């Protein structure tokens, strides 16, 4: 039995970042992780492998659609699926080994196995019980299926199975037009799979800015994805080689059936807290199965904290990382803080979609007086040169004070560009502050400046 200042349960982006910050702040720290490798869902079966496949298939798309125009002649590349999987696996390996190295560097003990909390101040891993003055639950989330839909990870898959299909399917039905459905749907569509997305609501990516949603749907459809909105999936019947998906169109009293080789269930994720012993410990949970925490990530049990997908808020790796750092600082007696008003969200399709702060719909609902500055990538020289003129930057600013309230980008490198506005919002900047900042030419970021200019006297290039 060993004794620690902090034991973090879970080695995903929330947990490993928390462990590193705890160690950096001088706390004796261990991290419990039952997978073979550190990094959690994000590195092993989520953000990182999906980005590798998105990158590879985007390259394929460029070769097929734009190379000849640029004078790059020759046969289009063919797909070696096994090699693409190997590249993906290698990307995962480089990242997970990197965390192992950081753990060694920071003298963090990796307690291998699945942890539980038999009583406050104790963490059990396998047969061993360790003492901890502080315990941080960072156990993340798992895919949540629909009632009656059984995921076999072969024909009916979650995002995990979709990342490692044995072969590229001819057809795929994606249930849910959220981030997972559209990212992985894009991957397979670019690989030649006929992809049909069924979404219950009347928009793709629920919760995003309405104009972005409309443009996003149009661009995805232009790329070949079929998107059916207002489709409530009722059930999936699978054989060994294909599946039938039954759905009810919202406006009709009928049932429709589609068949596909693979069905991807991308209808959300739920907190993963099974086996931790939280009920016996008396940890309060929310009605949605999340661990209930206060403003400092503390549960109702002294010395037990929780962060990331296991608690409320957007299920995003970077939100979990920020909470991990902040709770480490709280435990070390410092003032850890997360600004929940400035957490970006990104969809890594092509074009990318990135968003931070409030949407126009939210501002309207709150009755807030605002102005909109919008700029199309068609007016951006760099984007035109790079076949990336689709999309726009939209900045929402307070009508009176000009303070930036939100920003929504659909376009090239949107996920990187959004951070300019995140920093601006952290500093309480006005749209004019951004507009008066010199932006290098020719860059995509000039479109952000132009949108900021559009909140004032107007953009130059439109
Ligand atoms: P999601 O909540 O983003 O989207 C699920 C979609 O499924 C919703 O649009 C919902 O209306 C729809 N749906 C639910 N039941 C349905 C039914 N019966 N028939 C048809 N449609 C139905 O969930 P997700 O895409 O599975 O992602 C899970 C979580 O992981 C999210 O919180 C997401 O933010 C996160 N994630 C983020 C990234 C990223 O940041 N790039 C990538 C992957 C996952």
């Amino acid at each position: 039995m060993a004794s620690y200042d902090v034991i973090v349960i879970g080695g995903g982006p929330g947990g490993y970042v928390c462990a590193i910050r705890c160690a950096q702040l001088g706390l004796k720290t261990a991290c419990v992780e039952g997978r073979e490798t550190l990094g959690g869902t994000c590195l092993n079966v989520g953000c990182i492998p999906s980005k590798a496949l998105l990158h590879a298939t985007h390259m394929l798309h460029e070769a097929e659609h734009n190379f000849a125009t640029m004078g790059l002649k020759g046969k289009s590349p063919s797909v070696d699926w096994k090699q693409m999987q190997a590249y993906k696996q290698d990307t995962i390996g480089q990242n997970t080994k990197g965390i192992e190295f950081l753990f060694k560097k920071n003298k963090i003990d990796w307690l291998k196995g699945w942890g539980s909390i038999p009583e406050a101040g104790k963490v059990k891993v396998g047969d061993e019980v360790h003492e901890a003055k502080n315990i941080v639950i960072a156990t993340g989330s798992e895919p949540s299926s629909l009632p009656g839909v059984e995921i076999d990870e072969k024909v009916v898959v979650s995002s995990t199975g979709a990342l490692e299909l044995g072969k590229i399917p001819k057809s795929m039905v994606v249930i849910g037009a959220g981030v997972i459905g559209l990212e992985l749907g894009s991957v397979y569509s670019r690989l030649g799979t006929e992809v049909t997305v069924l979404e219950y609501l009347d928009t793709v990516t629920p919760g995003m800015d309405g104009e972005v949603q409309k443009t996003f749907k149009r661009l995805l459809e232009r790329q070949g994805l079929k998107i059916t909105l207002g489709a409530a999936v009722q059930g999936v019947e699978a054989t060994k080689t294909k599946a039938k998906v039954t759905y009810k169109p919202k406006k009709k009293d009928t049932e429709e059936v589609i068949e596909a080789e693979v069905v991807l269930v991308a209808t959300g994720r739920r907190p993963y807290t099974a086996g931790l012993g939280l009920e016996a410990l008396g940890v309060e949970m929310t009605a949605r199965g999340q661990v209930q925490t206060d403003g400092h990530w503390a549960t109702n049990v002294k010395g037990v904290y929780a962060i990331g997908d296991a608690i409320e808020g957007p299920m995003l790796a970077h939100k979990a990382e920020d909470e991990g750092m902040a709770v480490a600082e709280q435990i070390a007696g410092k003032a850890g803080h997360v600004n929940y008003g400035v957490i970006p969200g990104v969809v890594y399709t092509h074009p990318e979609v990135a968003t931070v702060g409030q949407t126009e719909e939210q501002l309207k609902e709150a009755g807030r007086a605002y102005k909109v500055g919008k700029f199309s990538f068609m007016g951006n020289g760099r984007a035109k040169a790079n076949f990336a003129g689709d999309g726009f930057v939209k900045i929402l600013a307070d009508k009176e004070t000009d303070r930036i309230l939100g920003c929504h980008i659909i376009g090239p490198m949107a996920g990187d560009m959004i951070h300019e506005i995140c920093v601006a919002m952290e500093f309480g900047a006005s749209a004019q502050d951004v507009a008066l900042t010199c932006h290098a030419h020719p860059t995509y970021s000039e479109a952000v400046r132009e949108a900021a200019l559009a909140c004032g006297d107007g953009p130059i290039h439109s």
Side-chain angles (χ1 to χ4, degrees):
M1 178 166 90
S3 193
Y4 295 94
D5 292 318
V6 185
I7 296 183
V8 183
I9 306 180
Y16 85 73
V17 166
C18 176
I20 291 172
R21 181 55 104 225
C22 285
Q24 287 172 336
L25 295 174
L27 301 166
K28 187 169 185 300
T29 307
C31 181
V32 187
E33 175 55 61
R35 270 181 211 270
E36 297 285 299
T37 46
L38 294 166
T41 298
C42 177
L43 267 71
N44 289 284
V45 288
C47 330
I48 296 296
S50 62
K51 258 77 279 170
L53 294 184
L54 279 159
H55 178 65
T57 55
H58 178 56
M59 293 291 114
L60 175 68
H61 178 94
E62 289 291 286
E64 286 171 345
H65 293 86
N66 296 326
F67 273 21
T69 315
M70 288 187 281
L72 299 170
K73 299 265 170 91
K75 263 198 346 203
S76 276
S78 60
V79 177
D80 178 344
W81 183 233
K82 231 173 131 189
Q83 176 55 32
M84 201 181 278
Q85 287 286 326
Y87 148 70
K88 180 204 77 183
Q89 217 51 43
D90 182 54
T91 311
I92 296 170
Q94 286 181 37
N95 282 280
T96 55
K97 279 196 202 88
I99 302 171
E100 225 173 295
F101 163 78
L102 290 174
F103 270 22
K104 284 193 187 121
K105 183 180 156 194
N106 287 287
K107 304 193 172 37
I108 297 162
D109 288 345
W110 174 6
L111 306 175
K112 292 186 185 176
W114 302 103
S116 60
I117 313 173
E119 58 184 280
K122 297 217 159 68
V123 173
K124 189 166 183 253
V125 185
D127 295 332
E128 297 217 358
V129 177
H130 305 273
E131 275 180 357
K133 288 190 196 116
N134 302 280
I135 299 167
V136 180
I137 298 166
T139 46
S141 59
E142 60 180 350
S144 67
S145 186
L146 294 170
V149 177
E150 204 171 308
I151 290 175
D152 59 25
E153 297 297 14
K154 295 226 153 32
V155 173
V156 184
V157 298
S158 70
S159 51
T160 305
L163 290 166
E164 49 185 26
L165 294 178
K167 63 179 176 59
I168 299 166
K170 286 203 177 63
S171 54
M172 176 183 268
V173 167
V174 176
I175 310 176
V179 189
I180 292 182
L182 297 183
E183 285 186 354
L184 290 173
S186 290
V187 163
Y188 284 100
S189 167
R190 291 170 193 166
L191 289 168
T193 305
E194 194 183 301
V195 176
T196 307
V197 183
L198 301 176
E199 166 57 49
Y200 175 73
L201 297 173
D202 295 326
T203 61
V204 299
T205 53
M208 275 201 187
D209 187 89
E211 271 186 277
V212 170
Q213 288 172 331
K214 279 195 196 112
T215 305
F216 194 22
K217 176 171 179 280
R218 183 172 51 78
L219 294 176
L220 289 170
E221 283 174 331
R222 206 173 70 193
Q223 288 167 22
L225 282 91
K226 286 190 193 143
I227 301 175
T228 306
L229 300 176
V233 171
Q234 305 295 304
V236 179
E237 253 178 72
T239 66
K240 272 196 172 148
T241 49
K242 60 182 185 223
K244 270 188 202 168
V245 181
T246 312
Y247 70 94
K248 265 192 183 160
K250 235 187 216 169
K251 286 171 192 141
K252 292 192 218 155
D253 200 21
T254 54
E255 274 200 342
E256 312 268 335
V257 177
I258 320 186
E259 235 181 51
E261 275 184 26
V262 171
V263 175
L264 165 60
V265 183
T267 50
R269 298 179 62 86
R270 59 171 172 234
Y272 180 68
T273 55
L276 284 173
L278 298 188
E279 208 180 322
L281 194 63
V283 173
E284 269 175 31
M285 306 293 282
T286 69
R288 300 178 63 198
Q290 301 144 325
V291 181
Q292 178 79 58
T293 53
D294 67 8
H296 303 293
W297 305 281
T299 70
N300 61 316
V301 177
K302 200 169 177 316
V304 178
Y305 302 82
I307 58 166
D309 285 9
I311 68 169
E312 66 173 353
M315 287 184 164
L316 297 170
H318 44 280
K319 176 255 193 190
E321 288 179 34
D322 281 24
E323 289 174 343
M325 283 194 275
V327 78
E329 287 174 14
Q330 292 277 345
I331 291 170
K334 301 178 117 195
H337 170 75
V338 175
N339 180 359
Y340 288 102
V342 186
I343 294 187
V346 180
V347 193
Y348 298 88
T349 44
H350 193 84
E352 288 184 353
V353 177
T355 168
V356 67
Q358 310 219 48
T359 62
E360 198 170 347
E361 289 72 22
Q362 285 170 330
L363 293 175
K364 268 192 194 137
E365 204 181 311
R368 183 128 187 204
Y370 64 92
K371 52 190 173 175
V372 182
K374 223 177 124 184
F375 187 78
S376 161
F377 280 102
M378 282 298 177
N380 178 278
R382 183 73 179 278
K384 273 203 283 239
N386 296 1
F387 307 97
D390 285 324
F392 57 83
V393 179
K394 174 174 176 180
I395 293 178
L396 300 162
D398 186 277
K399 196 162 189 188
E400 294 303 314
T401 64
D402 195 38
R403 188 178 173 142
I404 299 175
L405 303 172
C407 178
H408 309 281
I409 309 177
I410 176 161
M413 305 293 287
D416 285 271
M417 280 194 286
I418 196 75
H419 296 106
E420 169 175 4
I421 298 298
C422 295
V423 174
M425 286 177 74
E426 281 287 352
F427 279 74
S430 64
Q432 195 182 30
D433 288 323
V434 175
L436 291 176
T437 305
C438 184
H439 284 60
H441 177 73
T443 57
Y444 297 138
S445 295
E446 286 174 287
V448 177
R449 184 197 201 174
E450 293 268 23
L453 281 164
C455 289
D457 293 334
I460 302 297
H461 296 91
S462 79

